[in-house]
Amino acid sequence: MSDIEALLKELRGLPDAPAVSSQEVHARLTAVKSAAGRWADVLYGIQESARGFVGPRAEAALEVAFRRAEESYVELEIALRDLNDTGPCQRR
């Protein structure tokens, strides 16, 4: 199974229903953060392998896509850290 297929399988395994507890939010954030990191790795590999085969606009677009994926990973890491630091919150 390729990295992308494994990533898709992991994401498809996430529940569609809204989380009902802080533990569920934590579990989902952990899974999504892991997937975001893997997606950034996939994009980085594509970006590196495309050098010399694509034009400058495509190279720039791949760089932006990788950076956005990396930023997404960092934002999810911040959200998870905040959840860990503040503990469970009550739903409104």
Side-chain angles (χ1 to χ4, degrees):
M1 182 181 313
S2 76
D3 287 344
I4 295 173
E5 289 170 338
L7 178 59
L8 289 172
K9 182 178 178 183
E10 183 178 338
L11 290 172
R12 286 185 185 119
L14 291 172
D16 289 336
V20 296
S21 70
S22 61
Q23 290 84 7
E24 282 187 30
V25 172
H26 187 276
R28 291 180 193 184
L29 279 176
T30 300
V32 171
K33 183 186 95 163
S34 171
R38 289 175 40 196
W39 180 240
D41 291 343
V42 167
L43 287 174
Y44 181 78
I46 292 170
Q47 174 193 358
E48 288 295 307
S49 66
R51 286 206 174 124
F53 296 112
V54 299
R57 284 183 288 187
E59 280 191 24
L62 290 169
E63 171 70 23
V64 169
F66 164 69
R67 275 192 271 132
R68 286 182 177 164
E70 197 172 47
E71 288 170 2
S72 177
Y73 173 84
V74 170
E75 293 299 331
L76 290 166
E77 192 170 66
I78 290 167
L80 189 56
R81 191 176 319 128
D82 184 65
L83 180 62
N84 289 334
D85 290 348
T86 61
C89 297
Q90 297 297 320
R91 252 188 137 175
R92 295 178 198 168

